[in-house]
Amino acid sequence: MTALRSLSFTAALLVSSLVAGPLSASELNLYTTREAGLIQPLLDKFTEKTGVKVNTVFLKDGLAERVLAEGANSPADLLMTVDVGNLVDLVEQGVTQPTASEALTASIPAQLRDPDGHWYALSLRARALYASKERTDLTSFTYEQLADPAWKGKVCIRSGQHPYNTALIAAMIAKHGEAKTEAWLVGVKENLARKAGGGDRDVARDILGDICDVGLANSYYVGLMRSGKGGAEQEQWVAAIRPILPTFAGGGTHVNISGAAVAKHAPNKDNAVKLLEYLVSDEAQALYAEANYEYPVKPGVAGAELIADLGPLTVDSTPLIEISQHRKAASELVDKVGFDD
């Protein structure tokens, strides 16, 4: 049985135990695309503290399609996924409902949640710069510098159409407009050391291999590679780089999120909100950070020790909802300049 088939089979078994309509007062149904190994310890802690049982359906993809197919009888109470684009898509497909909570608004900065209360960020992943320890002496960087001719033939990056980069390009549009972002994208393409593609960890691999000197990749991969969870080879890759938190010129660091939304027909809405509020508590935020090396969304909670050398994260103040509105234009610019060609 393949891993995907196994996952689907497991999900089917779990779903079979879910019944539309209110559960007992001490249960809720969570649909999530997050990995079980990451989220389950947090759910176990929630149940331990509150007595509320969480029935979880782990999905690889098709979250909105599943809830839409279930319609008004859907047993889903809370929908959890990654990438602000996916959360906005859930809202636009009509499978969420607004939620008001003082605990959530007090814990999550305004630019990291939906202004109408449909979704809330739960953790942050910064778009970081990986720089060669041997061939650079960088200690700071701006995203705009990536198009500087000084880096010609020295930049590695994954596809411009990947959501991580599309979100960054959308943020660039929000800050500088489409014309300047197009010029920036052309400059970055001219600086590429290889065709845009691969994964974020491949940037560290290719810096070790002397293919490039710098590249963009998410911050939490630094922790994953250092942890040894990816094997000894990845520990060698990450040892070759100096991770830096870039900023926009005059701004902060671009972040994307994991987040969640209360389902439109949630039969157990109160428990769904209770879980959301727990996930932004100091305890849960610290667990998030140590489990997957993402940054806490709640100010004042320390990040993981393994990425402490990146320094404090100053999140760019551009609202994620504004960035999400430029995703389509960002994707079109990637094609227009032939970034992935």
Side-chain angles (χ1 to χ4, degrees):
M1 183 180 288
T2 65
L4 180 58
R5 287 183 60 199
S6 176
L7 182 64
S8 300
F9 179 69
T10 302
L13 285 177
L14 287 167
V15 156
S16 68
S17 68
L18 303 183
V19 180
L23 300 170
S24 72
S26 58
E27 295 188 41
L28 73 98
N29 299 320
L30 169 67
Y31 285 16
T32 179
T33 62
R34 304 231 67 181
E35 293 181 10
L38 168 63
I39 198 68
Q40 194 59 53
L42 286 160
L43 303 179
D44 291 342
K45 276 287 183 184
F46 169 73
T47 299
E48 179 184 318
K49 293 182 77 72
T50 65
V52 177
K53 179 184 176 185
V54 183
N55 306 305
T56 310
V57 177
F58 293 103
L59 298 164
K60 186 173 178 61
D61 49 34
L63 176 58
E65 291 78 4
R66 184 185 198 111
V67 180
L68 280 170
E70 292 170 345
N73 293 321
S74 174
D77 293 305
L78 191 64
L79 312 176
M80 182 184 296
T81 188
V82 297
D83 180 38
V84 64
N86 287 330
L87 288 162
V88 171
D89 286 345
L90 291 175
V91 178
E92 291 178 347
Q93 294 189 63
V95 297
T96 64
Q97 63 172 298
T99 303
S101 160
E102 290 185 10
L104 292 175
T105 54
S107 299
I108 306 172
Q111 77 268 30
L112 303 174
R113 48 184 161 86
D114 178 52
D116 295 323
H118 277 270
W119 51 263
Y120 294 88
L122 300 175
S123 62
L124 309 175
R125 52 266 300 274
R127 204 68 183 138
L129 184 86
Y130 292 2
S132 168
K133 283 181 179 176
E134 287 190 355
R135 300 183 296 280
T136 76
D137 57 0
L138 295 170
T139 56
S140 63
F141 202 80
T142 67
Y143 296 110
E144 287 84 351
Q145 282 179 273
L146 212 60
D148 189 316
W151 297 105
K152 191 172 183 62
K154 298 179 179 179
V155 176
C156 286
I157 195 168
R158 70 191 311 165
S159 165
Q161 292 292 7
H162 191 279
Y164 296 163
N165 285 334
T166 306
L168 172 66
I169 298 164
M172 191 70 77
I173 293 173
K175 286 196 165 291
H176 300 301
E178 284 194 38
K180 288 185 177 179
T181 300
E182 180 179 346
W184 174 78
L185 207 53
V186 169
V188 177
K189 178 177 171 56
E190 290 176 348
N191 286 345
L192 293 181
R194 58 163 169 74
K195 183 177 178 179
D200 274 12
R201 279 174 275 204
D202 293 344
V203 173
R205 179 200 64 192
D206 290 347
I207 287 174
L208 175 64
D210 202 11
I211 295 172
C212 45
D213 288 352
V214 296
L216 291 183
N218 277 351
S219 52
Y220 65 89
Y221 286 116
V222 174
L224 286 171
M225 289 187 284
R226 286 175 173 171
S227 72
K229 295 176 183 176
E233 189 177 43
Q234 292 188 12
E235 291 183 88
Q236 293 178 341
W237 299 351
V238 75
I241 68 164
R242 181 185 302 107
I244 294 169
L245 293 176
T247 64
F248 290 103
T253 298
H254 172 68
V255 299
N256 209 321
I257 60 173
S258 73
V262 175
K264 182 176 181 179
H265 302 293
N268 306 284
K269 180 179 178 179
D270 289 347
N271 284 340
V273 174
K274 189 179 292 185
L275 176 55
L276 274 177
E277 292 175 342
Y278 171 72
L279 291 174
V280 296
S281 67
D282 287 1
E283 177 186 74
Q285 288 286 290
L287 287 171
Y288 250 123
E290 291 299 333
N292 67 354
Y293 315 108
E294 292 181 327
Y295 285 98
V297 70
K298 185 176 185 179
V301 178
E305 280 293 324
L306 274 182
I307 61 169
D309 60 321
L310 274 72
L313 171 65
T314 301
V315 178
D316 183 55
S317 60
T318 307
L320 290 181
I321 191 70
E322 180 182 345
I323 292 173
S324 72
Q325 292 165 355
H326 296 289
R327 286 181 301 151
K328 184 172 183 292
S331 176
E332 289 172 350
L333 275 187
V334 169
D335 286 343
K336 183 178 180 181
V337 307
F339 191 82
D340 292 346
D341 296 343

